[in-house]
Amino acid sequence: MSLFVALDIGGTFTDLVAFDLAGGAIRHAKSSTTPYDLSVGIRRTLEKSGLTIPAIDTFVHGSTVAINTAIERTGAKTALLVTEGMRDVYQIGRGNRPESYNLFFKRPTPYVLRRDTHEIIERLNAAGEVITALDADATAATARALGGGDIAAVAVCLIHSWANPAHEAEVGAALAREASGLFCSLSHEILREYREYERMSTTVLNAYVGPRVSRYLQDLETLLVEMGFDGQLLIMQSNGGSMSPAIARRIPVATMESGPVGGIIAAAEATRALGYRNVIAFDMGGTTAKVSLVQDNEPAIAQGYFVGGAASGHPVMYPVVDIVEVGAGGGSIAWIDEVGALKVGPRSAGGHPGPVCYGQGGTEPTVTDANVVLGRLVADHFLGGEMPLDAAAARAAIEEKIAKPLGLGVMEAALGIVRIAAAEMSLAVRSVSVGRGYDPRDFAMVAFGGAGPLHAGQIARELGIPTLIIPRVPGHFSALGMLLANLRHDYVRTYYKALDACDFTEIDTAFAAMIDEAKGVLAAEGVSADRMAFQRFLDMRYVGQEFPIQTPVTAEDIARGDAEALRAAFDRIHDRRYGHQAVNEPVEVVNLRLTATGAREKLSFPGITATVGGALIDRRPVVFNDPSKPVVSPIYDRDRLGAGETIVGPAAVVEYASTTVLFEGDRLKVAPSGELIIELGRGDAA
């Protein structure tokens, strides 16, 4: 039995998807996330799935441990070692002020205090040449002092170590000898790229979250072994690939956004099979909503992001699937501010105690409570009936906390909560489409997450998106995407020269070194040579620009050394992205990048059968647009819908972990592969 399993820990629920390669069967399970001890939720979900744990060949895991550690500031006490004279680089950061008119703007609070920042006597120039030799005795003394104190992790970031890591490697060796109990992060082992502050921030974050992530992964491995697992364990990365636990322990910063990216990968794969090339992936869970753009069936990858927000967050210079996230999920709490305005989120009820309707002690009304009151969420079908919702309690909470203070009826208040949440999520969709020069009407929307199909029709209609796609198992879709992710590792080397002055032999040598390193890593992860692939990129820009554009190149392009052809490729990408190109301006190369992938076994999900009958299971009043006029709407069981069946809204389609709402005029058709393809009507969904 070839059994592949993925488990995704979200803010509210822990999701599991299993695929039997031999029989083609998909199984899934869902349990509440247990933030006090994540292993409890993991064990509960595995037991609930009914899987035979020793039969699992591959187990892929994604979680929010790293990002939560950073945001909650619960990481290890960390020291920072820098070149003499560079002690204040991390404290000062950049001189820009992203929010010029914000009177309360504050720079990010460093994860390392100045008193825990130590200078190392050494110096390199930008070419990697030694100006001041490393003082080995002083370095050893510093390492001994750190090992004997209360420091648990050390970040080492020496100036220009991206060009020559020799001194940094010597510092790492000294730490290993004199302070072996400390978690150590060397900047050149994480990324070999210039921009001193960003590289330092990334290295510090890696060290700060490292001990906690390492303990978590060790506990996970122990738990799985206790349950009889002896297959391959893989950890999901922020870049949309997976990696071994050994790499995840060394570079935990690569797992910061490991949870959400699985759904984006799955959205790209599912829509490729359906013939859609450009889609907007919309994921709404219990805590947040995430949006990402997929073009030509490839998720957008950003080369950096900020932990804590772009304005006052900490930069992480590491590849990540480009996701915009907002605090609007099913568990987002509705509240009234000091001037009497209704707000929704970003505070969330999470999985415990959760929304009021969960009956677990929650007292604050949430988006989920509003949907139950409106009839859009069928209370006795939640999680397939395993967890019936308390509609009366939800109604009472909205009446007491929202409706009465605002002088509204309960239905008006509930509809207002849903509309505000939808408006917040619509802004996120605009930011990845209109905000980047794309017309959302040229895209389809893929909606997933437990609450995604519930709200996507309203958001898509508002933005003029014509087609909505609800994939199979939308409530477990991020976990499903993890089963589809290949092993992946990204490498970068700064190579700063004018394009017409580049030595392409040097570039070829640098790429060869990165490929050799990647081959060793992939081989250690069990990837055979014939399943390895390498994609080369040059980061290029017009002279005078700040940020480069990643331009794909081939080994043949480098071998030919045709600067004009490379420049033409860059011009085309620049024109497509920004609407213009400057063909007479000089171009320079900034970085060399390599993406190394190890192909995993391709999973082929079976289609669904023809109509089995009995899909219409109920008729209930549902509030769509007018709170005083609920519409009696048919309720369908998705598991009983066959290929080719059609439904015209208003209606609701329920399944184990999600509900799809059709407004008046919406037309749903079931694809042979099981997806729900919805052509949106022109009616008002506001």
Side-chain angles (χ1 to χ4, degrees):
M1 181 178 182
S2 298
L3 189 61
F4 295 80
V5 174
L7 189 140
D8 172 34
I9 299 181
T12 304
F13 287 104
T14 296
D15 300 331
L16 178 145
V17 169
F19 181 71
D20 177 6
L21 190 64
I26 300 175
R27 297 172 66 176
H28 50 75
K30 183 184 286 278
S31 294
S32 294
T33 295
T34 50
Y36 57 88
D37 184 353
L38 295 177
S39 65
V40 174
I42 294 172
R43 182 184 290 275
R44 185 184 300 160
T45 307
L46 285 167
E47 291 173 348
K48 188 176 178 180
S49 71
L51 296 173
T52 304
I53 306 301
I56 299 175
D57 287 341
T58 303
F59 189 100
V60 190
H61 180 53
S63 80
T64 56
V65 172
I67 189 69
N68 287 348
T69 300
I71 291 174
E72 296 166 3
R73 304 187 76 88
T74 55
K77 186 170 183 181
T78 303
L80 173 61
L81 303 187
V82 299
T83 300
E84 186 178 35
M86 299 291 134
R87 189 180 184 191
D88 293 310
V89 168
Y90 181 58
Q91 306 292 322
I92 294 171
R94 290 292 176 188
N96 62 322
R97 184 178 173 123
E99 295 181 342
S100 303
Y101 300 103
N102 181 357
L103 298 179
F104 304 101
F105 170 77
K106 291 184 179 180
R107 296 201 173 278
T109 302
Y111 287 105
V112 176
L113 300 176
R114 189 176 189 273
R115 66 170 176 262
D116 293 323
T117 304
H118 305 273
E119 296 182 330
I120 299 296
I121 299 172
E122 68 87 41
R123 185 76 182 215
L124 303 174
N125 64 16
E129 299 164 341
V130 177
I131 296 176
T132 302
L134 177 74
D135 188 326
D137 292 338
T139 299
T142 300
R144 281 193 296 273
L146 292 174
D150 59 351
I151 295 296
V154 182
V156 183
C157 189
L158 305 182
I159 192 167
H160 302 315
S161 59
W162 53 267
N164 179 359
H167 283 179
E168 204 167 84
E170 288 185 53
V171 174
L175 287 166
R177 289 193 307 270
E178 308 291 345
S180 58
L182 302 183
F183 183 93
C184 183
S185 291
L186 307 179
S187 72
H188 75 272
E189 292 182 345
I190 300 170
L191 72 160
R192 296 274 298 273
E193 185 174 353
Y194 83 135
R195 297 184 188 276
E196 216 63 30
Y197 168 60
E198 287 78 6
R199 184 163 57 93
M200 196 174 291
S201 174
T202 305
T203 308
V204 165
L205 271 165
N206 193 75
Y208 183 75
V209 305
R212 186 175 179 187
V213 172
S214 295
R215 287 193 300 271
Y216 171 74
L217 292 176
Q218 182 60 54
D219 290 346
L220 174 65
E221 289 181 288
T222 301
L223 172 64
L224 292 175
V225 169
E226 288 175 353
M227 299 182 76
F229 174 72
D230 65 352
Q232 182 183 33
L233 174 62
L234 296 174
I235 307 301
M236 196 67 187
Q237 296 189 69
S238 305
N239 63 11
S242 57
M243 60 182 169
S244 67
I247 301 295
R249 287 192 190 93
R250 185 166 62 86
I251 313 180
V253 74
T255 70
M256 282 286 188
E257 297 289 345
S258 69
V261 302
I264 313 303
I265 301 301
E269 290 297 323
T271 53
R272 185 197 309 273
L274 292 171
Y276 293 89
R277 296 184 59 185
N278 300 318
V279 299
I280 295 170
F282 171 68
D283 174 8
M284 183 180 177
T287 307
T288 60
K290 282 81 68 176
V291 184
S292 185
L293 209 65
V294 176
Q295 290 183 285
D296 294 326
N297 302 119
E298 292 293 334
I301 301 291
Q303 294 304 325
Y305 58 102
F306 291 85
V307 172
S312 57
H314 297 265
V316 175
M317 217 157 51
Y318 209 84
V320 60
V321 174
D322 195 4
I323 296 174
V324 172
E325 188 168 359
V326 293
S332 294
I333 293 171
W335 53 285
I336 299 172
D337 69 10
E338 61 275 6
V339 298
L342 176 59
K343 304 285 186 179
V344 177
R347 193 162 57 94
S348 173
H352 287 278
V356 176
C357 61
Y358 282 11
Q360 298 176 159
T363 60
E364 302 294 330
T366 66
V367 174
T368 295
D369 294 310
N371 278 307
V372 171
V373 170
L374 295 173
R376 298 184 184 185
L377 197 57
V378 184
D380 51 2
H381 281 278
F382 193 73
L383 291 188
E386 292 177 7
M387 186 179 174
L389 302 178
D390 190 339
R395 183 183 182 93
I398 292 175
E399 183 174 22
E400 177 189 350
K401 299 290 182 72
I402 305 297
K404 284 183 178 178
L406 294 178
L408 300 173
V410 175
M411 289 298 183
E412 287 179 295
L415 190 58
I417 292 170
V418 171
R419 284 174 170 171
I420 290 172
E424 182 78 11
M425 293 181 286
S426 293
L427 290 175
V429 177
R430 289 181 188 275
S431 70
V432 302
S433 55
V434 177
R436 299 179 184 178
Y438 300 104
D439 189 338
R441 294 172 295 185
D442 296 334
F443 291 75
M445 176 180 280
V446 184
F448 51 96
L454 195 62
H455 295 266
Q458 186 169 345
I459 295 167
R461 180 178 274 96
E462 180 179 327
L463 298 174
I465 297 172
T467 304
L468 178 62
I469 301 168
I470 311 298
R472 296 171 72 169
V473 294
H476 299 77
F477 203 57
S478 288
L480 183 68
M482 294 177 188
L483 293 181
L484 303 174
N486 291 322
L487 289 141
R488 170 173 171 157
H489 301 285
D490 292 283
Y491 301 86
V492 61
R493 299 286 187 274
T494 290
Y495 183 87
Y496 184 34
K497 285 188 179 181
L499 179 60
D500 56 11
C502 284
D503 183 334
F504 286 94
T505 301
E506 282 184 352
I507 292 175
D508 188 53
T509 300
F511 273 124
M514 287 189 278
I515 289 172
D516 284 344
E517 182 180 351
K519 284 180 177 178
V521 172
L522 290 172
E525 292 176 324
V527 181
S528 59
D530 62 317
R531 300 182 76 86
M532 298 180 187
F534 307 97
Q535 175 63 66
R536 300 163 176 81
F537 301 91
L538 298 181
D539 282 1
M540 302 167 68
R541 66 186 182 188
Y542 295 120
V543 173
Q545 286 185 323
E546 172 65 9
F547 296 103
I549 291 177
Q550 192 170 297
T551 306
V553 297
T554 65
E556 291 73 21
D557 293 331
I558 302 301
R560 285 195 300 269
D562 189 345
E564 286 302 315
L566 295 174
R567 189 243 160 75
F570 163 74
D571 284 336
R572 286 193 298 271
I573 296 173
H574 193 283
D575 185 56
R576 186 167 67 245
R577 184 170 300 180
Y578 299 112
H580 68 92
Q581 54 183 297
V583 294
N584 296 319
E585 293 293 326
V587 171
E588 58 190 7
V589 175
V590 179
N591 298 309
L592 316 179
R593 294 189 186 274
L594 179 81
T595 295
T597 54
R600 294 174 56 211
E601 193 159 5
K602 199 71 175 175
L603 305 185
S604 180
F605 301 108
I608 62 173
T609 60
T611 304
V612 296
L616 179 61
I617 58 175
D618 203 354
R619 291 184 182 272
R620 298 197 178 198
V622 178
V623 173
F624 290 95
N625 304 316
D626 189 340
S628 65
K629 295 180 180 179
V631 180
V632 176
S633 305
I635 311 297
Y636 295 89
D637 182 348
R638 182 172 182 176
D639 292 337
R640 301 181 188 179
L641 290 174
E645 272 200 78
T646 60
I647 299 173
V648 178
V653 179
V654 298
E655 55 188 299
Y656 174 75
S658 191
T659 298
T660 301
V661 171
L662 303 179
F663 287 81
E664 185 176 357
D666 293 348
R667 185 177 183 85
L668 177 154
K669 185 172 183 178
V670 183
S673 50
E675 293 83 6
L676 307 181
I677 312 297
I678 303 170
E679 299 301 327
L680 298 177
R682 297 185 179 181
D684 180 21

